[in-house]
Amino acid sequence: MIAIEVSHVSKTFRLYKNTPSKVGSLQEHVLNALGFPPKALREATTPLFNALSDVSFEVRSGEKVALLGSNGAGKTTLLKVIAGITRPSAGQVMTRGRVVSVFGIGSGLHSMLTGRENISMYGALLGMSRAEIRRRFDDIVGFAGVEEFIDVPMKFYSSGMAARLAFSIASYVEADVLLLDEITAVGDADFQRRSYERIKEMVCGGRAVLLVTHHLHGIGELCDRAIVLEHGRIMNDGRADSVVDAYLARAARTA
Amino acid sequence: MVKRPRDSGPQVFLAASSSGVFGKKVWSLAPQLQSYDDFPRMPCDVSLQPNQDPSSLSAAHTSRVVTSQSALSHAEYIREIFRFRGVFWVMAGRDVLVRYRYAIFGVAWAVLRPLCVLITFSAIFKGLVAREGPPGAYTSLVLCAAPLWIFFSATVQDSIGFVLRDAGLMNRAYFPRILLIFSGVSVGVVDFIISLGLVVLALYVSGVLYTPHVALLPLAVVWSVLLVGGCALWVSTLNTRYRDVSNVVPFGMHLLLVMSPVGYATSNLPAEYLRFLALNPLVGLLELFRYCLLGSPISGGASTVVIGVLITGVLVLTGYVLFRRMESWINDYA
C-alpha cells in the first residue's frame, strides 16, 4: 500500500533581485503593462529558484523515511507540498489517509487565546473532532507539562512552553501519513528526550512517516530508509544507516 | 499499486473513497481503499489506535492529490468547505473571543458603536440636513443606517488582514483558505445582528417602528452579508498580492461614507444624482433598511434595489472566482 506518491514534483520561485522594493506591487504591474521593462528583458533578468526539481519517490504505509540535507535543500518545501499547504509548480503528489504535518519552528498557536482554546483550535485544524479533542485533552496537557497555565493566554507562555504545547497537540492526532519537520529541536533537554520517545511511539504501526531532522545519530533507530536532498534534487535514497554514513562521509570531504 | 493516470490533468481533491461523492475522475481510486481497516497496522501504542469517530472532521478514508492548480469544480469546492466546517467554527469562535476578550466593554461595543455613529452624525448634520420634519425623525433615520454602515466599514477594513494575519496557520495545515474570510466576516455578522436587534427594539419602544415591513428585514440582512462578503473577498485576496490595497481601502471608505445615505436621506437629492448614486449597492440597501423599519418609500423605486442586488451579485461571484484563481498560490505570498 503506497501512502505517499511524489511524482516529478518541482517548485519554482521567482527571485526579484533587480527590484527588491517593488516585488509584486501594483507599480511593477502597471509598469510591466506599459511594457517597461520589455517582457523579454524582464524574463531574461528575473532569476528563478528551483526549491524542488523533478523529485519523485514513493513511501509505503508503515515505512519510516528520514529526509536529510543542508539548509535550503528543499526539505520543508517538500513536506509542505505533500501536506497540501503549498502547491507544486509541476508534478503531483498523492497521499492516502489523513495527513498530519508537524512543523517544529514557530508554534502556529494564537497568542490571545488560552492554552485550552488553542488545543481546540489547533486540534480541529489538524483534523481532530471535538470528541477526539475532549478525549485526548488531559494527555495533551500532561505531555506538554502546562497544567498550571492551561487557562492563561498564550502570550504569557515562554516560547519553549508554546512549542511544547504545539508539539503535544500534533502528536495526539491520529494520522496515516505523518510529516515531521525538525520537531526534536523544541523545548529543553528533558522535553527533547521525551519528545524523541513520543516520536518513537508515533512512528510505530502502519502509518507512513516522513521525518526531517539534523540529528543524524538517532535516525537508524527511528527510520528504516533515508533520502538525501541537495539543491532540490534527490541525491541518495536507500537504507537509513548506509545513506547516513555516505552523507556524513560526503559532509566530511567537503568540509 | 495502481497509479492514477497522469493524463487526467492537474488537480487537487479530497475524495471520500467510501462514498465516492466527488465524481468519476476520483472514483478510479476508490476500490483500492474500502475502509480504514485496509491499512496494515502493527500492534502499537493504545493511544494511537485508528480513529473510529464518525463525526471526525477529516474522515480517515480519504485520498488526496495535490498538483499545481485546483481542479475542484465549484460544487466540489463547496462540499469541501462544508467538510471543513469544524475549522470554520473554531476560527470564527476564536475571532469573536479575541475581539472582545481584552476590551473593558466587551460585547457591549456592539451597542456602543452605533451609538457613537448616531452621536457623530447628530452633532454634525442634524442642523444642516434635517431642520424640517417631526422631532426624532433624524435620529431614527441615522439609527436605521448605523448598524449596516459599521458592519460594512469595519469588516471591509479588517478584511485587509483576513488572509495575511493567519499566514502561520496556513503554513501548518491544509484547509480551504476561503474559510479565513468566512470566519472574519462572521465576527462582523454577530455584531451586526446584535446591534440591529437593539435598533429595532429602540424604534419599537419609541413607537416609530413601521411593523408591516419588518418581515422583510431578514432579506436585507442576507443582502448585507453578501455585500460585505463580496467586498471582503476582493479586498483580502488582492491585498495578499498587492499591499497597495491596504492604502486604498481607508480612502475608499471615506468616499463611500459621503456617497451613501448614512447621515442623510435620499429624498433630499435630485433625481439625476440618485441614478448615479444607486450604482453604489449601499444606497439601495440603506433604502431597504429604512423601508423595512420606518416604512419610508424607496427613492428611485424598485430599480434602486434591483441595481444594488445585481451589483452585489456581481461582486460576490467575481470575488469568489478571483479567490479560487488566487488560492493556489496565496500561501506563497502570505
Side-chain angles (χ1 to χ4, degrees):
Chain A
M1 168 74 64
I2 290 170
I4 310 172
E5 188 189 323
V6 177
S7 21
H8 305 287
V9 163
S10 299
K11 178 79 183 173
T12 309
F13 293 101
R14 278 169 75 192
L15 298 175
Y16 297 83
K17 274 186 185 151
N18 302 318
T19 53
S21 59
K22 299 288 181 286
V23 173
S25 70
L26 200 59
Q27 181 179 343
E28 188 202 9
H29 278 251
V30 170
L31 284 177
N32 288 350
L34 294 175
F36 183 84
K39 198 172 177 230
L41 179 69
R42 200 163 68 233
E43 275 169 9
T45 53
T46 304
L48 298 175
F49 175 74
N50 290 313
L52 296 171
S53 26
D54 200 22
V55 172
S56 300
F57 64 94
E58 286 172 358
V59 179
R60 309 182 71 81
S61 349
E63 213 174 1
K64 327 299 172 198
V65 183
L67 207 52
L68 312 176
S70 48
N71 290 141
K75 306 183 294 293
T76 302
T77 306
L78 181 56
L79 288 200
K80 280 186 179 175
V81 170
I82 295 170
I85 291 169
T86 184
R87 284 175 191 279
S89 308
Q92 70 167 37
V93 173
M94 199 192 78
T95 49
R96 289 244 164 73
R98 190 196 270 180
V99 181
V100 172
S101 45
V102 189
F103 295 91
I105 293 162
S107 73
L109 304 178
H110 199 290
S111 64
M112 299 275 264
L113 299 180
T114 65
R116 185 185 301 274
E117 288 154 359
N118 265 302
I119 291 176
S120 309
M121 189 192 73
Y122 199 42
L125 199 68
L126 293 178
M128 288 168 102
S129 69
R130 250 186 272 177
E132 254 180 295
I133 294 169
R134 254 198 311 279
R135 205 166 56 236
R136 294 271 174 258
F137 186 82
D138 292 333
D139 295 335
I140 292 170
V141 176
F143 187 79
V146 294
E147 292 92 338
E148 278 180 79
F149 310 105
I150 196 62
D151 287 312
V152 171
M154 289 295 286
K155 62 179 172 180
F156 300 120
Y157 280 42
S158 74
S159 56
M161 279 158 64
R164 263 155 41 199
L165 185 58
F167 171 82
S168 186
I169 298 167
S171 78
Y172 281 96
V173 182
E174 285 135 2
D176 303 302
V177 173
L178 193 59
L179 309 170
L180 306 171
D181 189 3
E182 298 195 45
I183 49 173
T184 45
V186 155
D188 52 23
D190 174 56
F191 187 78
Q192 287 198 8
R193 184 187 52 73
R194 284 195 299 132
S195 59
Y196 182 74
E197 294 302 316
R198 179 88 190 123
I199 291 167
K200 276 210 288 194
E201 289 170 24
M202 285 160 77
V203 302
C204 80
R207 69 201 59 199
V209 179
L210 202 52
L211 173 104
V212 169
T213 181
H214 292 293
H215 292 261
L216 298 175
H217 55 267
I219 286 178
E221 205 180 329
L222 283 177
C223 303
D224 31 43
R225 180 177 155 200
I227 294 174
V228 179
L229 275 184
E230 198 174 297
H231 302 303
R233 289 173 194 283
I234 294 182
M235 294 302 286
N236 204 351
D237 182 353
R239 279 193 38 181
D241 40 6
S242 56
V243 168
V244 169
D245 287 345
Y247 182 67
L248 287 173
R250 192 181 150 84
R253 264 206 310 283
T254 51
Chain B
M1 194 71 256
V2 181
K3 286 187 184 180
R4 285 189 64 256
R6 189 74 24 79
D7 60 2
S8 60
Q11 38 190 283
V12 149
F13 48 75
L14 290 125
S17 59
S18 51
S19 55
V21 285
F22 287 163
K24 298 185 255 354
K25 272 188 199 162
V26 190
W27 190 239
S28 61
L29 282 175
Q32 303 301 322
L33 238 183
Q34 288 305 329
S35 80
Y36 193 89
D37 301 326
D38 288 0
F39 287 99
R41 280 175 184 279
M42 293 179 352
C44 192
D45 173 16
V46 191
S47 67
L48 293 166
Q49 283 309 298
N51 163 39
Q52 300 293 346
D53 191 344
S55 66
S56 168
L57 288 176
S58 63
H61 324 237
T62 56
S63 294
R64 184 164 76 190
V65 173
V66 183
T67 47
S68 59
Q69 289 291 317
S70 168
L72 285 180
S73 73
H74 297 306
E76 285 163 353
Y77 192 72
I78 288 161
R79 227 173 275 137
E80 181 88 337
I81 292 170
F82 185 71
R83 224 167 59 82
F84 279 83
R85 63 192 179 280
V87 173
F88 164 76
W89 286 116
V90 290
M91 284 203 292
R94 171 201 73 172
D95 288 345
V96 172
L97 266 179
V98 165
R99 178 141 176 183
Y100 294 117
R101 169 157 290 164
Y102 298 102
I104 295 172
F105 291 113
V107 185
W109 274 114
V111 188
L112 291 174
R113 263 186 300 235
L115 220 56
C116 293
V117 170
L118 177 67
I119 291 166
T120 315
F121 275 107
S122 300
I124 298 170
F125 288 124
K126 202 171 180 181
L128 282 174
V129 184
R131 251 171 271 166
E132 68 275 14
Y138 185 75
T139 306
S140 45
L141 188 86
V142 175
L143 265 185
C144 288
L148 173 66
W149 173 251
I150 292 164
F151 173 44
F152 180 84
S153 62
T155 309
V156 174
Q157 296 231 31
D158 281 356
S159 70
I160 289 169
F162 281 172
V163 173
L164 293 178
R165 68 182 181 194
D166 276 322
L169 285 185
M170 286 201 293
N171 273 320
R172 251 138 234 291
Y174 166 81
F175 54 89
R177 308 305 192 199
I178 207 167
L179 291 178
L180 293 172
I181 290 150
F182 286 5
S183 77
V185 171
S186 65
V187 181
V189 173
V190 172
D191 265 17
F192 177 51
I193 287 175
I194 293 175
S195 55
L196 190 64
L198 286 163
V199 164
V200 172
L201 192 70
L203 293 176
Y204 179 73
V205 168
S206 54
V208 288
L209 186 71
Y210 187 72
T211 39
H213 291 170
V214 172
L216 285 173
L217 200 58
L219 282 180
V221 170
V222 169
W223 182 3
S224 312
V225 174
L226 286 175
L227 176 63
V228 171
C231 293
L233 272 174
W234 267 95
V235 169
S236 59
T237 315
L238 278 183
N239 191 51
T240 311
R241 187 73 172 78
Y242 311 110
R243 307 290 155 104
D244 314 69
V245 173
S246 59
N247 296 309
V248 174
V249 168
F251 171 71
M253 280 304 151
H254 288 304
L255 201 66
L256 274 177
L257 179 57
V258 177
M259 290 176 52
S260 313
V262 179
Y264 55 90
T266 44
S267 51
N268 302 340
L269 293 171
E272 61 265 32
Y273 285 157
L274 187 69
R275 214 170 299 132
F276 170 70
L277 272 187
L279 291 174
N280 167 11
L282 278 171
V283 175
L285 191 47
L286 286 167
E287 287 292 288
L288 184 62
F289 269 105
R290 284 178 185 147
Y291 175 78
C292 292
L293 297 174
L294 303 176
S296 42
I298 295 172
S299 314
S303 71
T304 313
V305 173
V306 170
I307 291 171
V309 169
L310 284 179
I311 289 181
T312 305
V314 170
L315 261 175
V316 170
L317 286 179
T318 52
Y320 168 78
V321 170
L322 179 79
F323 189 87
R324 285 295 313 270
R325 285 183 58 181
M326 293 195 155
E327 192 180 21
S328 56
W329 48 253
I330 213 164
N331 200 64
D332 295 337
Y333 284 96

